[in-house]
Amino acid sequence: MFIKTKRGWEIPEREATPEHVFFNRRRFLTGTAAIGAAAALIGCGEDKVAQAEAESAAPAADDPSAGLYPFKRNATYTLDRDVTAEELATRYNNYYEFGSSKRIVEEAQALPLRPWMVAIDGMVARPLQIGIDDLMKQMPLEERLYRHRCVETWSMAVPWSGFALKELVKLAEPQAGAKYLRFETFMNPEVAPEQKTPWYPWPYVEGVTLEEATNDLAFLVTGMYGKPAPKQNGAPLRLALPWKYGFKSAKAIARITFTDARPVNFWQTLQASEYGFWANVNPEVAHPRWSQAQERLLGSDEPRPTLLYNGYGEFVAGLYANLQDEKLFM
Ligand SMILES: Nc1nc2c(c(=O)[nH]1)N[C@H]1C(S)=C(S)[C@@H](COP(=O)(O)O)O[C@H]1N2
Ligand SMILES: [Mo]
């Protein structure tokens, strides 16, 4: 964040990184990591950085799922805007395990994707440990065009590949008392050194209600742009909850726990006054530090109006009809 490699489509850093504003100060006071990273960048021209990223961002040639792509597109989900250029959607990321800047492509390549076990446990008929490739074999694979809206106000539109979360719920056979799903990202400080920092509540945790999880729109992502997802976008398994702010869409999921206790998510643990459990997109409910009325698509400098539920009200508004006392929009 100290050295800015400016590109036309980038949102000014002061607008684009508010999620971690509080914590950077502490990081600055306590650590020299950021200074080291900045020094490394000084010695490295933009072209070289771009080239290194291009080489490292391609899905691994030996990915055993590569032959399954592309998946058939589900025509139910259509966009009101162009699909974001792949180059932008796969180079401008939030992935705090690998750093708090938007340029973590190179760092993320350290994550090994196989073997990748997903634990499905808690209040289910039979707790399960399943490899990602076995899981994909059992799921109806499809492609969906979804909008994505980060709480920081940038947005994109992506062709995600994967399967409906409700299909995994079926596989898991939740017990009668299960009310929530809790998602946990991998924990491995050796490959994700940021996980050694004490001021973040690792591992990254997210959660939804069982009712949200079985809504048609809730999607588990394995790929994007007709290929396995690159590591920086959350391979081999991430969420896409397009009616919620982007932080709900946890990356690199290693555990899914069915529970009767509402999960406390990563950002809520850090700053409960700014980030809650529901985090549904609403242009009229401002974040405490900025307005949510508008957003900016990656690749465009034009602000455009934010949509209630990010434009997915017809699918999800009914989930919240009886929850008006909850803080649904933060
Ligand atoms: N494990 C993990 N998942 C995460 C994050 C993160 O830092 N770690 N960032 C979230 C945020 S704030 C956003 S906006 C999206 C960004 O996804 P993208 O990099 O594919 O655009 O991932 C979400 N999932
Ligand atoms: Mo975000």
Side-chain angles (χ1 to χ4, degrees), residues 19 93-97 148 156 185 233 238 246 249 251:
E19 263 172 341
N93 300 105
N94 270 337
Y95 206 160
Y96 281 74
E97 285 84 343
H148 173 98
M156 60 182 180
T185 295
N233 291 93
R238 70 168 284 174
S249 293
K251 294 178 169 181

Side-chain angles (χ1 to χ4, degrees), residues 65-107:
S65 71
L68 300 173
Y69 293 85
F71 304 168
K72 190 176 184 314
R73 183 171 295 174
N74 182 334
T76 309
Y77 307 101
T78 55
L79 294 174
D80 57 347
R81 57 197 73 180
D82 292 339
V83 166
T84 300
E86 181 177 352
E87 178 65 23
L88 304 185
T90 60
R91 298 286 185 282
Y92 185 88
N93 300 105
N94 270 337
Y95 206 160
Y96 281 74
E97 285 84 343
F98 295 104
S100 55
S101 88
K102 294 291 182 280
R103 296 169 67 84
I104 50 71
V105 172
E106 271 186 275
E107 289 80 357

Side-chain angles (χ1 to χ4, degrees), residues 56-223:
S56 59
D62 59 352
D63 185 323
S65 71
L68 300 173
Y69 293 85
F71 304 168
K72 190 176 184 314
R73 183 171 295 174
N74 182 334
T76 309
Y77 307 101
T78 55
L79 294 174
D80 57 347
R81 57 197 73 180
D82 292 339
V83 166
T84 300
E86 181 177 352
E87 178 65 23
L88 304 185
T90 60
R91 298 286 185 282
Y92 185 88
N93 300 105
N94 270 337
Y95 206 160
Y96 281 74
E97 285 84 343
F98 295 104
S100 55
S101 88
K102 294 291 182 280
R103 296 169 67 84
I104 50 71
V105 172
E106 271 186 275
E107 289 80 357
Q109 303 318 304
L111 181 66
L113 298 188
R114 297 292 188 286
W116 190 276
M117 301 302 289
V118 181
I120 301 174
D121 60 13
M123 301 175 72
V124 294
R126 276 163 282 98
L128 191 69
Q129 283 268 358
I130 187 166
I132 183 67
D133 298 297
D134 290 335
L135 179 60
M136 286 176 74
K137 268 182 216 147
Q138 298 188 41
M139 294 288 115
L141 304 173
E142 54 176 283
E143 179 178 84
R144 298 184 181 185
L145 302 175
Y146 274 179
R147 290 180 288 272
H148 173 98
R149 171 60 157 78
C150 176
V151 71
E152 297 165 337
T153 75
W154 59 270
S155 65
M156 60 182 180
V158 178
W160 298 116
S161 304
F163 52 90
L165 176 55
K166 67 176 180 183
E167 299 294 336
L168 181 136
V169 172
K170 254 187 244 169
L171 177 77
E173 294 182 48
Q175 293 171 8
K179 289 198 181 74
Y180 300 94
L181 276 70
R182 179 183 184 278
F183 298 86
E184 204 175 281
T185 295
F186 77 90
M187 183 68 188
N188 186 349
E190 294 312 309
V191 303
E194 290 294 310
Q195 291 184 328
K196 291 179 180 164
T197 57
W199 52 83
Y200 287 120
W202 308 113
Y204 199 95
V205 165
E206 260 307 337
V208 295
T209 65
L210 185 59
E211 208 192 349
E212 289 176 322
T214 51
N215 183 276
D216 283 338
L217 209 54
F219 200 57
L220 275 167
V221 166
T222 60

